[in-house]
Amino acid sequence: MVRLDDQRILKLFRLGLSEWNCDGFVVWKKRPSQWVDENLEGHTTRSVAKLMCEHFDAGGEIDQTRERRADYASFYEFHYDFRFAIDGRRVYIETVLDETSTGPTITVVSMHDE
């Protein structure tokens, strides 16, 4: 894993995360959404997206990892990992990034304890 430093991709994350309160910018696959419901009392996917935005705005790192899983590698060269604490619990959030005509879409594909 390598710290993300590509300014174009960082700009896309900044744009997508800043829209955490709007549908379609930070979207969740079923499994990580269920993980939030089952493991983070008082939180929703939207509140976690807000925390991701706050982490990013505070200068928190995002790791860029070459995608190796066959079902994703044909679509994504990299995935992007967030690691930070939520209510004292260290979490790992794996995302992929898409550029669309309406702006960036950040898809949360996995989430679990770090």
Side-chain angles (χ1 to χ4, degrees):
M1 85 189 128
V2 175
R3 182 177 183 177
L4 174 61
D5 63 0
D6 182 307
Q7 293 303 308
R8 185 182 72 76
I9 295 173
L10 286 167
K11 181 180 179 182
L12 292 171
F13 269 100
R14 182 173 294 110
L15 289 169
L17 290 171
S18 70
E19 299 291 346
W20 63 266
N21 201 30
C22 300
D23 291 338
F25 290 92
V26 180
V27 298
W28 292 73
K29 293 283 189 177
K30 184 177 181 179
R31 282 182 135 178
S33 176
Q34 287 176 329
W35 192 91
V36 170
D37 292 343
E38 295 169 2
N39 293 280
L40 295 176
E41 186 176 335
H43 285 279
T44 63
T45 55
R46 191 159 283 186
S47 72
V48 173
K50 179 181 180 187
L51 293 172
M52 291 168 68
C53 181
E54 291 170 353
H55 169 79
F56 182 84
D57 286 346
E61 294 183 11
I62 301 174
D63 295 323
Q64 177 177 287
T65 305
R66 186 162 303 280
E67 187 56 66
R68 296 179 185 190
R69 291 170 296 186
D71 54 336
Y72 280 95
S74 60
F75 298 103
Y76 300 100
E77 184 176 1
F78 298 101
H79 65 260
Y80 303 93
D81 307 325
F82 290 73
R83 292 175 172 85
F84 59 90
I86 299 176
D87 298 339
R89 183 178 189 156
R90 295 282 307 168
V91 298
Y92 165 85
I93 304 170
E94 180 180 330
T95 67
V96 293
L97 177 67
D98 289 296
E99 263 186 279
T100 70
S101 60
T102 59
T105 300
I106 300 161
T107 302
V108 177
V109 297
S110 180
M111 183 171 180
H112 53 77
D113 289 306
E114 185 175 38

